[in-house]
Amino acid sequence: MITYHEQERIFKLDTPNTSYLIGIVDEENFIGHIYYGKRLKDADASYLLRTEEPPFVPGKNNRERCSFYDCFPFEYPAGGIGDCREGCLGIRTAGGHTGAMLSYVSHEILEGKPELTGLPATFGTKKECTTLKLLCEDKYAGMQVELLYTVFQDTDAMTRSVKVTNVGREHFYLTKVFSASLDMDNRDFDMISLHGSWARERHIQRKTLGYGIQNVSSVRGESSHQDHPFLALVEKNTTQDSGEVYAMNFVYSGNFRAQAEVTQFDYVRMSMGIHPENFCWKLEAGESFQAPEVVMLYTDKGLDAMTNAFHTLYRKHLIRGEYRNKKRPILINNWEATYFDFDTEKLLSIAKEASKLGIEMLVMDDGWFGKRNNDDCALGDWQVNEEKLKGGLKYLVDEVNRLGMKFGIWFEPEMISPDSNLYREHPDWALAIPGRPAAQARQQFVLDLSRKEVVDHVYEMVASVLRSANIEYVKWDMNRPLADIGSIALPADRQGEICHRYMLAVYEMQSRLVKEFPHLLLENCSGGGARFDPGMLYYSPQIWCSDDADAIERLEIQEGTALLYPLSTMGAHVSDCPNHVVGRVTPFETRGIVALAGTFGYELDVTRIPEEDRNMIPEQVALYHQYNDLIREGDYYRIASYSQNHKFDCWQVVSENKEESLVTFVQVLCRANFKSRRLLLKGLAEDKRYEVRFVNDKEIQTKVYSGDTLMKAGLLIPSFQGDFQARLIHLVKCEEKF
Ligand code: GLA
């Protein structure tokens, strides 16, 4: 609900458990951020703006205008005029001047949520959400700024975005445009972010927030393996179950910066948006720039509550398409099975064996096109290599379909190999700075997607392959960061637009793809999980989490990913052993149990693995079918974290009606001479009784306990021998007495 309190000039935005207050002050209509926190009954907290203290407001004390600018909690700080904290908006006028200051002009409160042109964004019906459109201006710069806020009925997560319009007569340049800012008092916060690298994405990092600016960012043209477009400020005593959390997550897949600045007065400014490095957007008179959306969340109930608010928002208001609430086909991908060394016969032999075991889809990965027999060449030549695929693609797909399986395929549409027909024909289609040889990564360049003819050509190549056979799944990969940011198609003063134009083009292509092929299951991927972000989730309901599918490495990766994203989105497979990245050997059973917490599938040569592993597949398939609805749709709780205790990991999902739950326990290292482990479960109904069954340990007797007991006294996991062992524990509501 959003209300405007006219007399007090206060906007009050309420989610089920939080309130967000914005106030207009002084005759110059400065827009201040009053409050974000637990839900308030009234809108009478404007004293938090501290305008009754020196330096007051310019209307009362103009001689200290600069001091006012430097301490007032601005709702959307522009900067460059006197607020010396870092602002959200940077402009350079045609005359070369910088600095801006916004004041309130008007507002609208709308039912529902407007779309953000060209960008992924959350959505909701008129009944589900309400939006505040705040129009502000800088009349000296000829600039209007529209701040958009949406609150939803079914989650505490809310969204913000910003649109800048040139209402003057001359052009100006936007040198920076963040999408959200939050000024508040510091509370001795810690900062949580997700850090990583290739094959170890999204590890949770928590550290003390000190004075000055601390940020996480990407200038790689992708949201990246290294940092993640997410930031949370939490109180020192915040745990999974209690304590205050302020979080931001960016619905964008390109360059970003997320930061917190602790100021001289112990205020914090938390902000997020497109990274200003390499960004400069020219706005001609009358033109607008739409910045992407930030999701914001406040809770006083700890990190599990944050997680579930994000999960609800993404499941109900971001992910689209046929598969969003559906079980995904269990796939087998040939990458780690064959790498580039495959042909029709090999793929069909894998498919034949897989279909007997209950696997439902064959995905043909990299290497099926041009003369791509290694990763040195052929990106851009999206024509089937008929030497490998004898009889053509349609023949292979039909044969796979005849086995009762679906067929999926890999593309890396945004790239071009120097050794490709496409590059030989169009050397200027790769991003490059004229006069400087562009740097290769994995021996490839990035296509200049700021050019429409390039985008159209690439789309057509991908789409014509999809039109040629019954292809029901696409893995859309992107295997190198952007560098050499230059386009021969743009004038000098628009070169700073390339990275964002590139992202808009990727979004546009994926949008076209899911429109033309509405039944297609799209899985995004970027060298594993370098583009696992809410922007991509708008187009694909699942994203490949990491190239590291080792069950133990995955514990930390999946914990960090699930901190924000529903389990239904996490691409997770059972892969071969010794693991191709870390060389670790783990039991097949454990690999299966860890992959069950994601989309589930296989990435190995099913014809060559040990027979006892192969024999386990039908059982794993059955587990997937039995529990996937619960895993996909259930609330998610962290019970213990291997990344913190270095011994074991445990998470739990609970159905919305609290009648069913699944606990996953992974014993990474066995401890000698140790008793059973006591784990406090979460999310159950106190007054319900649950039958507790150890699914893969038949020796443990099934027993009945109340939810109250399981949450307060806990569940004992009997001690057992062996490293890398996993237990699945299923709880079902029952009527039985104790
Ligand atoms: C990336 C992906 C892998 C695989 C290879 C193919 O690394 O993450 O899963 O598709 O590309 O080249």
Side-chain angles (χ1 to χ4, degrees):
M1 195 170 65
I2 299 179
T3 44
Y4 180 54
H5 301 254
E6 207 167 338
Q7 230 169 356
E8 300 87 353
R9 303 216 289 168
I10 288 180
F11 296 95
K12 185 165 184 279
L13 291 69
D14 291 321
T15 72
N17 302 293
T18 74
S19 291
Y20 188 99
L21 266 61
I22 303 167
I24 316 294
V25 300
D26 204 20
E27 59 262 30
E28 289 180 54
N29 292 336
F30 297 111
I31 310 164
H33 176 71
I34 300 176
Y35 172 85
Y36 187 29
K38 276 190 231 186
R39 186 157 170 165
L40 296 178
K41 291 199 169 64
D42 302 305
D44 56 357
S46 63
Y47 54 86
L48 292 177
L49 293 174
R50 296 186 171 94
T51 51
E52 301 301 320
E53 299 171 24
F56 306 104
V57 286
K60 283 194 199 152
N61 187 20
N62 196 31
R63 71 188 293 275
E64 291 302 347
R65 180 177 282 268
C66 255
S67 308
F68 167 79
Y69 286 162
D70 204 21
C71 67
F72 184 68
F74 284 106
E75 180 55 32
Y76 186 71
I81 300 281
D83 181 355
C84 294
R85 297 161 289 181
E86 191 162 331
C88 285
L89 189 63
I91 65 163
R92 198 172 66 245
T93 63
H97 299 110
T98 57
M101 173 60 63
L102 297 176
S103 53
Y104 166 83
V105 177
S106 64
H107 72 269
E108 276 176 81
I109 296 175
L110 314 164
E111 288 179 341
K113 184 171 189 291
E115 286 182 15
L116 304 187
T117 317
L119 285 168
T122 57
F123 51 81
T125 63
K126 288 188 174 175
K127 278 203 182 126
E128 290 168 338
C129 57
T130 315
T131 299
L132 168 66
K133 219 187 231 186
L134 256 187
L135 187 67
C136 356
E137 68 173 358
D138 179 330
K139 56 180 186 243
Y140 303 104
M143 173 171 65
Q144 283 196 338
V145 176
E146 196 178 279
L147 305 177
L148 218 60
Y149 301 78
T150 300
V151 291
F152 297 83
Q153 263 183 1
D154 53 0
T155 168
D156 285 321
M158 56 185 275
T159 60
R160 285 177 69 167
S161 65
V162 174
K163 187 163 109 185
V164 180
T165 303
N166 181 348
V167 290
R169 287 205 202 102
E170 281 188 290
H171 70 265
F172 63 75
Y173 298 94
L174 262 180
T175 54
K176 178 181 191 181
V177 54
F178 276 5
S179 297
S181 175
L182 189 59
D183 277 2
M184 56 188 168
D185 290 16
N186 190 13
R187 266 161 259 177
D188 199 12
F189 283 129
D190 277 353
M191 162 174 164
I192 299 181
S193 59
L194 297 172
H195 186 75
S197 183
W198 171 76
R200 52 181 160 82
E201 295 88 341
R202 290 173 296 286
H203 286 197
I204 298 171
Q205 174 179 243
R206 181 170 178 163
K207 62 183 186 192
T208 301
L209 189 69
Y211 286 108
I213 296 176
Q214 288 115 100
N215 66 43
V216 289
S217 69
S218 165
V219 288
R220 295 164 194 272
E222 54 184 356
S223 46
S224 89
H225 296 102
Q226 288 75 8
D227 278 334
H228 197 70
F230 160 75
L231 186 66
L233 300 184
V234 304
E235 289 180 313
K236 277 269 168 307
N237 60 1
T238 293
T239 63
Q240 291 300 130
D241 312 310
S242 67
E244 291 201 295
V245 181
Y246 290 90
M248 288 185 183
N249 193 192
F250 204 19
V251 189
Y252 191 59
S253 317
N255 294 343
F256 76 89
R257 194 157 86 196
Q259 70 182 36
E261 177 176 3
V262 182
T263 74
Q264 54 182 336
F265 302 117
D266 277 353
Y267 299 153
V268 185
R269 174 167 290 171
M270 182 180 184
S271 52
M272 180 175 271
I274 293 179
H275 202 299
E277 192 171 310
N278 248 323
F279 175 83
C280 181
W281 196 278
K282 185 177 185 184
L283 277 184
E284 297 286 3
E287 283 182 353
S288 295
F289 180 86
Q290 175 65 61
E293 174 167 279
V294 163
V295 175
M296 273 196 336
L297 178 88
Y298 166 80
T299 176
D300 63 333
K301 304 214 162 29
L303 293 169
D304 279 344
M306 173 191 83
T307 293
N308 280 310
F310 279 120
H311 285 198
T312 303
L313 184 77
Y314 295 152
R315 265 199 311 246
K316 299 197 172 152
H317 303 286
L318 181 69
I319 296 166
R320 305 170 299 163
E322 192 170 297
Y323 280 99
R324 84 180 212 161
N325 301 318
K326 251 175 60 178
K327 213 165 22 157
R328 320 283 158 75
I330 300 176
L331 65 80
I332 184 157
N333 177 305
N334 74 308
W335 178 240
E336 290 196 8
T338 66
Y339 293 104
F340 294 99
D341 184 18
F342 64 86
D343 56 16
T344 301
E345 204 185 317
K346 177 81 214 161
L347 292 176
L348 284 178
S349 73
I350 292 177
K352 262 180 209 142
E353 190 60 41
S355 70
K356 281 191 236 153
L357 300 166
I359 297 173
E360 299 160 313
M361 177 161 75
L362 175 78
V363 174
M364 178 173 66
D365 211 280
D366 194 356
W368 55 266
F369 51 92
K371 53 182 183 62
R372 180 104 168 154
N373 293 319
N374 55 46
D375 62 7
D376 287 352
C377 61
L379 292 173
D381 297 343
W382 300 107
Q383 292 88 25
V384 177
N385 177 346
E386 298 218 5
E387 272 170 40
K388 270 185 179 172
L389 302 188
K390 297 235 162 49
L393 181 61
K394 187 165 181 335
Y395 169 75
L396 171 64
V397 178
D398 288 348
E399 285 302 298
V400 170
N401 286 167
R402 207 161 292 155
L403 293 167
M405 291 175 88
K406 295 179 189 298
F407 184 88
I409 197 167
W410 178 96
F411 282 99
E412 196 180 353
E414 302 160 53
M415 299 293 152
I416 182 166
S417 304
D419 180 7
S420 65
N421 294 335
L422 189 68
Y423 189 75
R424 281 182 281 276
E425 242 169 81
H426 299 285
D428 61 315
W429 277 18
L431 285 178
I433 297 167
R436 177 190 293 279
Q440 300 180 9
R442 210 190 189 204
Q443 207 160 338
Q444 62 197 57
F445 294 134
V446 183
L447 281 167
D448 178 2
L449 298 183
S450 70
R451 293 170 66 174
K452 188 170 178 333
E453 69 272 31
V454 178
V455 173
D456 288 345
H457 180 91
V458 171
Y459 178 80
E460 210 30 52
M461 282 193 299
V462 172
S464 59
V465 172
L466 297 185
R467 287 177 207 129
S468 73
N470 182 26
I471 299 172
E472 298 178 76
Y473 162 106
V474 164
K475 178 175 171 189
W476 180 303
D477 210 340
M478 191 267 192
N479 274 325
R480 62 155 290 175
L482 271 55
D484 299 287
I485 312 296
S487 167
I488 60 153
L490 289 170
D493 63 351
R494 288 196 181 272
Q495 294 290 317
E497 300 178 8
I498 294 171
C499 288
H500 183 63
R501 284 180 184 270
Y502 180 94
M503 267 335 305
L504 292 178
V506 172
Y507 291 147
E508 200 251 332
M509 278 196 283
Q510 296 207 354
S511 206
R512 266 201 244 176
L513 197 71
V514 294
K515 232 175 252 156
E516 183 176 347
F517 305 97
H519 305 298
L520 187 75
L521 173 57
L522 183 61
E523 174 156 357
N524 267 289
C525 171
S526 179
R531 236 173 25 187
F532 200 124
D533 57 62
M536 300 318 288
L537 282 180
Y538 184 68
Y539 304 95
S540 65
Q542 62 192 56
I543 302 176
W544 183 227
C545 228
S546 175
D547 279 344
D548 193 343
D550 170 70
I552 305 307
E553 292 293 300
R554 274 297 180 117
L555 297 177
E556 234 174 311
I557 296 169
Q558 292 183 186
E559 178 186 8
T561 308
L563 187 68
L564 304 172
Y565 307 109
L567 303 190
S568 62
T569 65
M570 299 199 307
H573 299 165
V574 177
S575 66
D576 209 358
C577 263
N579 176 268
H580 292 200
V581 177
V582 289
R584 186 177 288 130
V585 177
T586 51
F588 199 78
E589 182 182 49
T590 302
R591 283 178 262 158
I593 287 178
V594 172
L596 273 181
T599 54
F600 197 70
Y602 293 86
E603 184 125 356
L604 36 73
D605 185 345
V606 82
T607 64
R608 290 170 58 176
I609 56 171
E611 203 175 331
E612 60 181 286
D613 290 355
R614 193 167 39 244
N615 290 344
M616 237 182 261
I617 292 180
E619 226 174 282
Q620 292 181 336
V621 165
L623 289 177
Y624 171 79
H625 289 303
Q626 188 177 351
Y627 298 124
N628 185 256
D629 285 351
L630 174 59
I631 291 167
R632 238 183 29 248
E633 308 285 339
D635 290 337
Y636 169 88
Y637 298 94
R638 232 325 108 184
I639 307 297
S641 165
Y642 164 60
S643 62
Q644 283 168 26
N645 65 36
H646 308 298
K647 292 187 187 72
F648 65 99
D649 210 47
C650 186
W651 64 91
Q652 182 189 1
V653 286
V654 183
S655 64
E656 205 180 335
N657 63 12
K658 297 183 183 294
E659 296 198 347
E660 199 185 354
S661 173
L662 191 69
V663 178
T664 308
F665 175 85
V666 181
Q667 173 166 289
V668 180
L669 292 179
C670 177
R671 197 154 183 220
N673 188 20
F674 202 65
K675 304 286 181 208
S676 52
R677 283 200 189 277
R678 174 176 165 230
L679 298 174
L680 303 186
L681 300 191
K682 299 182 189 178
L684 303 171
E686 285 180 5
D687 53 356
K688 285 190 172 62
R689 290 185 176 79
Y690 296 89
E691 187 182 87
V692 179
R693 188 169 63 88
F694 282 69
V695 177
N696 61 329
D697 190 342
K698 308 273 182 296
E699 284 180 10
I700 301 175
Q701 219 190 325
T702 299
K703 288 201 175 138
V704 174
Y705 306 96
S706 73
D708 186 53
T709 303
L710 289 166
M711 291 192 291
K712 292 178 185 158
L715 172 72
L716 293 181
I717 311 281
S719 125
F720 54 91
Q721 276 192 327
D723 296 339
F724 314 142
Q725 303 290 326
R727 294 286 182 271
L728 263 188
I729 303 128
H730 187 216
L731 283 71
V732 191
K733 187 197 127 187
C734 66
E735 300 307 330
E736 198 186 313
K737 293 267 180 296
F738 301 98

